[in-house]
Amino acid sequence: MDNFATTETNQENSADTKAPEATRKVFIKTYGCQMNVYDSDRMNDALTTDGYAPTQNMEEADLVILNTCHIREKAAEKVYSELGRIRKLKEDKAKDGKQMMVSVAGCVAQAEGAEISRRAPVVDLVVGPQSYHRLPELLNRASNGSKVVETEFDIQEKFKHLATPSKEAVRKRGVTAFVTVQEGCDKFCTFCVVPYTRGAEVSRSVEQIVSETKRLAAAGVREVTLLGQNVNGWHGAGSDGREWGLGELLFELAKIDGIDRLRYTTSHPRDMDDALIAAHRDLDILMPYLHLPVQSGADSVLKAMNRKHTRDDYFRLLDRIREARPDIALSGDFIVGFPGETDQDFADTMDLIERVKYGSAFSFKFSPRPGTPGALMEDQVEEAVKSERLAALQGLLSQQQKDFNASLVGKTIDVLFEKQGRQEGQMAGRSPWLQPVHVAAPAQLFGEIASVKVVAAGANSLEGELV
Ligand code: SAH
Ligand code: SF4
Ligand code: F3S
């Protein structure tokens, strides 16, 4: 799962049966994390009920939405240059007497607000992540030419008003789905914009999560990934009257008929509690793959990052998790070149990676984000040093990923088939550890879990045979 892929999401969903006939088309371009991917689907749902059908072709769109990410430097600049291209398209369309509305959504919208429509007058609507349920109304307000900027924080309202997609729309999106259980973050790691762009941590209720998951299961979804910026910080009133954490929630969701795989992302080491570790021990359908970012292996850097745990805490936590679920594969995020990071600190990170052995990981050069404490710290690390460290770190991580993939050759594993493979007669699915698996298999296996013997492993995927 690439956290930061640019995805043009599921534009082919059919209109909801209850929806008015689609007369207009919307093109959504999605940047950033899974949360944005999920939100783009929700925007499509909200717009479907307003007579829009999704399209993959920006040129034929009556409405273009950029669902943006603000985690990297220059993210905003990229949005402005994309808006430059869109302006030309809008002008060309206007010459043909056609109207095109342009909206910027997501984390750049939240961070920049009205500045966006000042700098890029092509933009009709700036909308933050917490107001997507109001898209139809906001577009209506913007349609008479007035610029609308909506970046209020009220996440419970958004959760309450998410539009329900039709069964057909869900099925077209595939047999795996995301369910947002939590948004925002109170951790304030000193490098990160998320607490500012997504606001304070808010959990969705058990009732909302269970009913959305049941609906997905009824539409044919087999695998659900619970989403949150700080997903294991989720908590809520349980059906037994006690306060639940993510562990208890997973036990509840495991009871739903039709759901055969559960995952969650992204977790913070501080919030891995006993119940969650017990869920890894006791729930077969909770997949043995855990994305648990540590960012650095040096205590001084962890402290400066405000991660609120030490490298030793992380090792001890992994011991407990691996004891509960010995076949678990670890994934993580790493930042190199955080202000003040010395050669020794970096060596400590490499050492941590050597010890943990990751199945996969994401790694980044520190990028100073305006408004975060990290951007103002002294001892910023030189670009050349960052590049060198990143190359070394990625070399090690990709070797570990190859080793992990290779260790599965000869083993028989469960594969959930998600789509047609690249070649004739081939299907593609996912292993319990999220690797893509290519298998010669009939198309009827779509949506099924089958036993597959792994015959070859590459850097990023596996090849197997049905057994
Ligand atoms: N909520 C998740 C993910 C946050 S963003 C978590 O806490 O793990 C995803 C990743 O982007 C982070 O884990 C971090 O490794 C990276 N990241 C965030 N801000 C960054 C910055 N300013 N510079 C470089 N990498 C950053
Ligand atoms: Fe950002 Fe840290 Fe919150 Fe993750 S835990 S979203 S890195 S502040
Ligand atoms: Fe990017 Fe916002 Fe996600 S900043 S990583 S899209 S929460």
Side-chain angles (χ1 to χ4, degrees):
M1 178 156 56
D2 184 347
N3 269 341
F4 296 100
T6 299
T7 22
E8 279 151 37
T9 40
N10 51 275
Q11 314 294 333
E12 295 160 62
N13 312 310
S14 62
D16 192 291
T17 36
K18 298 186 296 282
E21 204 183 324
T23 49
R24 295 172 290 182
K25 296 209 159 118
V26 51
F27 173 89
I28 306 181
K29 186 161 178 176
T30 309
Y31 304 82
C33 65
Q34 304 303 340
M35 190 70 68
N36 270 9
V37 175
Y38 177 88
D39 279 345
S40 288
D41 282 350
R42 301 293 80 75
M43 285 194 255
N44 269 325
D45 294 339
L47 290 166
T48 300
T49 56
D50 198 37
Y52 280 94
T55 173
Q56 305 217 43
N57 178 359
M58 195 193 289
E59 260 127 66
E60 66 170 23
D62 303 284
L63 166 63
V64 171
I65 301 177
L66 301 182
N67 191 7
T68 60
C69 171
H70 203 237
I71 208 96
R72 307 265 162 265
E73 220 175 344
K74 304 207 178 77
E77 290 316 308
K78 280 189 199 144
V79 171
Y80 287 117
S81 67
E82 178 83 29
L83 287 170
R85 284 191 291 275
I86 293 172
R87 193 192 65 203
K88 290 219 182 66
L89 183 64
K90 185 171 176 159
E91 285 166 359
D92 288 348
K93 285 195 127 185
K95 280 182 208 143
D96 296 341
K98 289 187 197 134
Q99 209 203 356
M100 190 175 97
M101 300 269 286
V102 179
S103 173
V104 176
C107 294
V108 174
Q110 189 65 47
E112 303 253 309
E115 176 64 17
I116 296 178
S117 42
R118 265 197 297 276
R119 255 186 81 178
V122 65
V123 175
D124 302 290
L125 169 65
V126 176
V127 55
Q130 316 218 351
S131 305
Y132 297 155
H133 57 287
R134 295 178 49 214
L135 261 178
E137 168 216 328
L138 296 170
L139 284 166
N140 192 28
R141 264 168 52 198
S143 64
N144 63 7
S146 56
K147 304 282 169 200
V148 175
V149 176
E150 185 57 70
T151 53
E152 284 301 305
F153 278 124
D154 191 350
I155 196 84
Q156 289 298 5
E157 276 303 303
K158 170 180 168 182
F159 286 155
K160 249 187 259 163
H161 296 286
L162 291 178
T164 306
S166 68
K167 238 181 174 174
E168 291 70 33
V170 172
R171 191 163 299 149
K172 278 209 169 151
R173 283 170 193 166
V175 294
T176 63
F178 294 116
V179 172
T180 288
V181 301
Q182 175 279 325
E183 273 207 46
C185 183
D186 298 337
K187 291 272 192 297
F188 290 93
C189 301
T190 53
F191 51 81
C192 184
V193 293
V194 170
Y196 310 96
T197 58
R198 294 280 175 163
E201 219 176 278
V202 177
S203 293
R204 246 175 126 185
S205 71
V206 173
E207 207 183 5
Q208 284 173 337
I209 297 164
V210 168
S211 75
E212 184 168 337
T213 308
K214 282 187 173 159
R215 203 160 32 70
L216 291 169
V221 167
R222 306 282 306 266
E223 173 180 307
V224 164
T225 301
L226 306 183
L227 273 189
Q229 257 84 26
N230 194 15
V231 70
N232 55 347
W234 179 89
H235 58 94
S239 50
D240 57 5
R242 290 186 311 124
E243 181 75 359
W244 285 1
L246 191 68
E248 287 89 352
L249 179 67
L250 285 162
F251 278 101
E252 186 72 13
L253 296 176
K255 295 182 198 154
I256 296 174
D257 268 351
I259 298 298
D260 296 303
R261 286 182 163 191
L262 289 171
R263 305 181 185 274
Y264 59 92
T265 198
T266 297
S267 308
H268 193 287
R270 289 259 302 178
D271 292 329
M272 290 299 298
D273 65 7
D274 292 342
L276 187 49
I277 295 174
H280 280 286
R281 185 188 61 219
D282 299 335
L283 288 177
D284 284 347
I285 73 164
L286 180 55
M287 291 293 101
Y289 173 90
L290 177 60
H291 185 67
L292 194 64
V294 66
Q295 314 294 355
S296 166
D299 282 340
S300 58
V301 176
L302 289 171
K303 189 153 199 279
M305 286 176 164
N306 192 32
R307 293 289 292 181
K308 298 199 177 84
H309 63 79
T310 63
R311 103 193 222 113
D312 245 24
D313 295 335
Y314 188 70
F315 286 137
R316 272 189 308 232
L317 177 60
L318 292 192
D319 285 345
R320 285 169 57 216
I321 296 167
R322 281 180 160 149
E323 197 186 322
R325 186 80 204 229
D327 66 341
I328 203 156
L330 263 296
S331 158
D333 293 342
F334 294 90
I335 295 177
V336 298
F338 188 79
E341 186 188 68
T342 63
D343 287 341
Q344 183 56 49
D345 294 333
F346 177 64
D348 289 347
T349 300
M350 293 292 273
D351 174 71
L352 177 141
I353 296 170
E354 296 269 16
R355 290 208 214 175
V356 171
K357 300 210 175 6
Y358 287 89
S360 67
F362 303 96
S363 47
F364 316 95
K365 288 190 229 175
F366 171 69
S367 137
R369 311 304 297 117
T372 64
L376 300 174
M377 287 180 185
E378 289 169 12
D379 310 329
Q380 297 285 332
V381 174
E382 260 176 68
E383 198 54 32
V385 175
K386 286 186 198 171
S387 301
E388 215 175 279
R389 288 179 186 166
L390 187 67
L393 185 114
Q394 291 187 334
L396 178 58
L397 287 168
S398 62
Q399 187 55 49
Q400 290 192 345
Q401 183 168 349
K402 272 190 214 147
D403 292 346
F404 176 61
N405 291 351
S407 74
L408 294 170
V409 175
K411 299 216 164 95
T412 298
I413 64 172
D414 282 342
V415 173
L416 170 59
F417 288 102
E418 295 175 357
K419 57 182 183 203
Q420 239 167 354
R422 255 167 277 148
Q423 283 152 29
E424 268 292 299
Q426 206 186 44
M427 293 287 288
R430 295 268 180 180
S431 79
W433 304 278
L434 263 190
Q435 294 120 320
V437 190
H438 302 282
V439 184
Q444 296 92 285
L445 280 186
F446 173 76
E448 300 294 324
I449 295 172
S451 284
V452 166
K453 183 171 177 184
V454 180
V455 295
N460 300 307
S461 65
L462 306 173
E463 233 177 89
E465 289 166 356
L466 288 176
V467 294

